[in-house]
Amino acid sequence: MEILTLALGFACLAYGIAIFRPREDSSCHVPWIAAGAVLGGTSGACMIWPRVAVMQLLTGLLGGAAVIGACAIAAASVLIMAAAKDAPPGNLCYLVVLGAHVHQNGTPSRALRQRLETARAYLAENPSTVAVVSGGQGADETCTEASAMASWLIAHGIEAERILGEDKSTTTAENIRYALDLMDANEPVGLVTNDFHIWRALRIARRQGLRNACGVPAPSTRLYLPNNLARECFATVKNMLAGTM
């Protein structure tokens, strides 16, 4: 078990270093590096002091928990990514673009830009579809996500009169709840978000009464996919406990 725990610790540490991007104001690497340090440090200590029973017990518990957790996340990830395989139908009445981080200079983050590029392509091919940009202003953002998204879409050829905005939401559940005030819930609606986020977003939407909702998956950066899928698993548990999905 010490070797397995050490290997898992090294893998977490290596991945945390790989996704470390200080210029992007991201802290997603911190949990991976912390997990790597704990797993690696515990297994290393057990190898140095093999006769200390408490170290062997701790290493076994941590290693077992890490293996079970990794297997559970892997299984859930298959289900999550399968939801992003279906192509959306054409001529949806509404296209809800779910918000994501906006940089200090007001430009969309990589994840938000991927969503906007997908939305722009769909809107260009389906001129009767109305866009609903959804997202409030975070503590580290200089403008609302909705206004940044609307500006980006207009700058890339989408008419302003085809864009509706809600700028109060701070979570996926709120994105959809407040966007409902701008739409007819009985009409076909597409949710634009990154592929790893489609499964959870659709379940939240259907819980809130959007029975005709479908996913419009945007691509995601593959290097960050393990982190995003792990985060989705924890967010799903949180939403279930909160009764929002």
Side-chain angles (χ1 to χ4, degrees):
M1 181 59 75
E2 293 87 352
I3 298 298
L4 178 58
T5 305
L6 182 63
L8 287 171
F10 179 78
C12 290
L13 183 61
Y15 183 66
I17 293 172
I19 62 175
F20 178 49
R21 297 290 186 276
R23 293 184 180 180
E24 295 183 9
D25 300 322
S26 172
S27 60
C28 62
H29 61 284
V30 173
W32 295 94
I33 292 177
V38 171
L39 290 172
T42 304
S43 58
C46 188
M47 291 176 179
I48 295 172
W49 298 293
R51 295 184 181 181
V52 179
V54 68
M55 293 305 304
Q56 292 179 341
L57 177 61
L58 184 58
T59 300
L61 290 174
L62 286 174
V67 170
I68 293 171
C71 290
I73 289 174
S77 296
V78 173
L79 177 65
I80 289 170
M81 293 305 292
K85 299 299 183 183
D86 297 331
N91 298 312
L92 292 166
C93 288
Y94 301 99
L95 200 66
V96 180
V97 189
L98 302 182
H101 183 66
V102 172
H103 293 307
Q104 287 288 326
N105 61 3
T107 60
S109 61
R110 182 183 302 179
L112 185 54
R113 189 173 68 250
Q114 290 164 334
R115 300 179 190 188
L116 289 168
E117 289 169 349
T118 298
R120 185 201 60 77
Y122 187 95
L123 293 167
E125 294 177 2
N126 300 274
S128 63
T129 301
V130 173
V132 180
V133 290
S134 177
Q137 182 175 350
D140 58 346
E141 295 173 327
T142 55
C143 64
T144 65
E145 293 167 6
S147 64
M149 287 190 280
S151 297
W152 191 97
L153 288 172
I154 293 170
H156 289 80
I158 304 302
E159 300 87 346
E161 55 268 24
R162 293 179 64 193
I163 303 172
L164 305 176
E166 77 77 21
D167 58 5
K168 299 180 294 182
S169 58
T170 58
T171 66
T172 299
E174 289 181 353
N175 281 155
I176 297 166
R177 184 187 314 144
Y178 297 145
L180 271 169
D181 295 336
L182 305 174
M183 305 183 299
D184 182 346
N186 295 315
E187 297 289 352
V189 176
L191 301 181
V192 182
T193 188
N194 300 96
D195 48 14
F196 59 83
H197 190 213
I198 288 287
W199 185 86
R200 183 164 62 95
L202 282 175
R203 271 141 193 83
I204 292 173
R206 288 164 186 162
R207 180 66 180 266
Q208 296 190 16
L210 278 176
R211 303 301 176 189
N212 293 323
C214 67
V216 183
S220 59
T221 305
R222 290 310 177 213
L223 176 62
Y224 291 90
L225 190 57
N227 178 73
N228 290 328
L229 287 170
R231 187 174 59 184
E232 279 299 296
C233 291
F234 287 110
T236 295
V237 173
K238 179 181 177 181
N239 285 139
M240 287 180 173
L241 293 175
T244 56
M245 66 173 289

